Amino acid sequence: MPRVHILPSGTDLLADPEENLLKLLRKHQVPIRYSCRSGECGSCKCFLESGNVTLKTYDPKALPEAQKAAGVILACRAVLHEDITIRLTDSDDLITHPERNLLCRVVALEPLTADIFALRLHIEFADMEGIPFTFSAGQYAQIVVNVDGHEIARDFSMASTPVDAEYDDILEFHIRRTPTGALSSLLGGMIRPGAQLLVRGPMGTSYFRPRHEGPLVAVGGGTGLAPMLSVVQTALDNGKLEPVALFAGFRNQADVYGLDRMEQMRRSYRNFSYHIALDEAQDGDPPQAVHRPLGAYLLEQVTDFAGAKVYLAGPPGMVEAISASLLERGVSERDLHADAFYPPVPAAQPVDA
Ligand code: FES
């Protein structure tokens, strides 16, 4: 069995042959950043100090050739065959919640727009009996359904807060229904009030850092608003005193949702503000909306990111472009917590590391 020696902690883990490195680390609750789990975001980088792994295909933007040559690997694409030593970086503020299996019942399916739905689930049964399900605001989970003997699993971020889950056993997800979406097309059909679903999670490391002192900027595109609502609500409810700003971007007014919740937070917390950007202008747009790309609007409104943490979620193109602009503005990678919603990828051929 391959042995994985982890620095700087000095921990040793035994892996199954051909086991995925990120899966092994998560199974043992080793704190490591990750997001897409498909080699596209680069957040699971670590140093391979000795030994070899096989890397499944990945986006070269996530792991440039020069970094790979310097010994950096992507844990989510690394397959274990032999003993290795890895070094994890920057694990100071990582929290790990054990990944759980939850049997949930649909208690509501509420249309937020013509094609975006709020799916509210009640946790009826959780493994690890007696231990409440916990997650950090901003994390996501997998919703799993079985269709004709085939499992369909898709990742969605929680729009509800950790308190909703821990005390009321409630989870809420915002899902855009598309006719070809393997899971989303089942909304209103197989996935309707009363139906039972399996949820696995929590996952993801772009979550709210409660120890951070300084301004919080949350940026959500489309249904990327869901985890950002959870992040800002949690920050404000936890008594954060510094400015908290939420930027939400939508294609047009038909896509806008969440205004009531944002308005309620604005009325309740003097340090909270929200900003709406629409790509297209139409008659009847919300009065608070401006018409320009979300990233441009953000950089116009926030001219000084000193001491701030920025949380980002949404389509990959938007998240990558805004992240690049923020890094250029001097925001450090440590203070940028980005979760891009990559579509599921088909199985791919491995390449040697
Ligand atoms: S590249 Fe590994 S989690 Fe995204």
Side-chain angles (χ1 to χ4, degrees):
M1 290 172 99
R3 179 183 298 271
V4 178
H5 184 60
I6 302 164
L7 298 173
S9 64
T11 314
D12 281 315
L13 299 177
L14 282 181
D16 293 327
E18 311 295 309
E19 188 163 2
N20 174 278
L21 175 58
L22 180 62
K23 184 177 169 200
L24 176 78
L25 297 175
R26 288 173 59 204
K27 198 162 71 185
H28 292 276
Q29 295 178 43
V30 174
I32 177 169
R33 260 180 228 286
Y34 69 93
S35 176
C36 69
R37 293 172 294 139
S38 54
E40 293 174 83
C41 71
S43 58
C44 64
K45 282 174 194 164
C46 56
F47 284 100
L48 183 63
E49 301 264 341
S50 68
N52 284 300
V53 296
T54 300
L55 284 186
K56 289 187 171 176
T57 49
Y58 55 87
D59 185 334
K61 284 200 299 253
L63 179 59
E65 201 48 47
Q67 290 186 7
K68 187 177 167 204
V72 179
I73 59 170
L74 298 174
C76 73
R77 308 308 285 163
V79 180
L80 299 163
H81 311 287
E82 61 181 53
D83 292 356
I84 61 168
T85 298
I86 58 167
R87 179 175 294 279
L88 301 179
T89 58
D90 189 25
S91 58
D92 298 1
D93 61 352
L94 291 181
I95 305 168
T96 53
H97 298 284
E99 197 176 312
R100 312 281 295 274
N101 287 299
L102 312 173
L103 190 60
C104 300
R105 192 167 298 278
V106 179
V107 290
L109 182 65
E110 181 197 339
L112 299 173
T113 70
D115 59 359
I116 297 174
F117 291 80
L119 175 68
R120 283 176 78 80
L121 304 179
H122 181 254
I123 302 169
E124 293 198 323
F125 173 80
D127 59 1
M128 304 163 83
E129 207 183 333
I131 302 174
F133 173 70
T134 55
F135 70 95
S136 290
Q139 286 195 292
Y140 61 87
Q142 256 183 2
I143 297 180
V144 184
V145 291
N146 197 296
V147 179
D148 299 331
H150 296 289
E151 184 180 276
I152 298 172
R154 291 290 182 271
D155 300 339
F156 299 100
S157 297
M158 275 72 83
S160 45
T161 67
V163 171
D164 297 327
E166 199 170 338
Y167 293 94
D168 298 324
D169 294 322
I170 288 289
L171 299 174
E172 181 175 315
F173 301 89
H174 296 164
I175 304 176
R176 184 185 296 277
R177 182 168 65 190
T178 60
T180 54
L183 191 140
S184 72
S185 63
L186 304 174
L187 291 172
M190 178 188 256
I191 302 176
R192 60 178 185 279
Q196 271 192 329
L197 297 174
L198 182 67
V199 173
R200 289 191 199 120
M203 302 170 194
T205 48
S206 296
Y207 50 73
F208 172 54
R209 267 61 176 176
R211 289 202 300 262
H212 168 248
E213 290 177 3
L216 185 161
V217 180
V219 186
T223 51
L225 178 59
M228 297 299 104
L229 286 169
S230 182
V231 164
V232 298
Q233 181 87 60
T234 301
L236 295 166
D237 290 350
N238 279 7
K240 188 164 182 64
L241 297 174
E242 299 88 357
V244 175
L246 173 58
F247 289 80
F250 304 97
R251 285 177 305 194
N252 53 42
Q253 64 174 259
D255 273 352
V256 175
Y257 76 93
L259 281 182
D260 288 352
R261 187 165 163 188
M262 290 187 266
E263 188 54 31
Q264 186 169 347
M265 282 193 269
R266 189 189 65 76
R267 283 198 297 264
S268 302
Y269 298 101
R270 286 164 53 176
N271 56 330
F272 175 70
S273 62
Y274 70 94
H275 312 265
I276 309 290
L278 300 181
D279 293 336
E280 298 163 20
Q282 289 170 337
D283 288 343
D285 279 344
Q288 59 273 65
V290 300
H291 304 112
R292 70 201 71 169
L294 180 60
Y297 186 38
L298 167 70
L299 296 178
E300 238 171 67
Q301 293 294 306
V302 185
T303 51
D304 183 3
F305 287 92
K309 271 201 182 292
V310 184
Y311 300 86
L312 264 168
M318 181 212 88
V319 168
E320 287 166 12
I322 297 179
S323 298
S325 305
L326 290 169
L327 292 171
E328 261 176 42
R329 278 278 184 102
V331 177
S332 77
E333 286 196 22
R334 254 192 97 85
D335 291 322
L336 189 55
H337 305 284
D339 220 350
F341 295 173
Y342 293 98
V345 286
Q349 293 300 310
V351 292
D352 288 334

